[in-house]
Amino acid sequence: MTEHSEPGPGDRGAGGLDDGDAVIVDARETRCPMPVIMAAKAAQDLPDGARLVVLATDPAAAADLPAWCRLRGHTLLDLHLGDEVRADIRLGT
């Protein structure tokens, strides 16, 4: 499992947004609170305005990631719910 990686050019996530400029946090197969912890760790090294895409299989991430965004002043651009949770986040205000 890779914590975060850069997708290839033109990759599109489940939400339909181009992931080419996003940092991907792969929190699949982890349990609460790890998806949020992994997202926060990745966000520390990124500037305001950067995009973070968090992938998780824990259903709690569907509530935890939007709450983390509200608490930290990030913008939740898209939240896809299916076999896995996919949160597309713009860091900062």
Side-chain angles (χ1 to χ4, degrees):
M1 174 176 16
T2 303
E3 183 173 323
H4 54 262
S5 60
E6 298 296 329
D11 285 353
R12 294 185 97 54
L17 296 173
D18 185 352
D19 288 344
D21 65 343
V23 172
I24 307 298
V25 176
D26 187 352
R28 293 177 287 195
E29 305 304 324
T30 67
R31 305 215 18 126
C32 181
M34 288 309 297
V36 170
I37 290 171
M38 292 171 72
K41 183 177 178 184
Q44 286 178 338
D45 298 330
L46 298 172
D48 283 351
R51 277 187 52 226
L52 195 66
V53 173
V54 183
L55 306 174
T57 49
D58 183 356
D64 293 347
L65 290 166
W68 175 73
C69 288
R70 284 190 304 276
L71 289 170
R72 297 295 177 201
H74 305 314
T75 302
L76 182 65
L77 300 172
D78 187 43
L79 183 65
H80 176 79
L81 306 175
D83 291 337
E84 62 186 39
V85 175
R86 182 187 186 280
D88 192 335
I89 300 163
R90 172 89 50 211
L91 300 179
T93 55

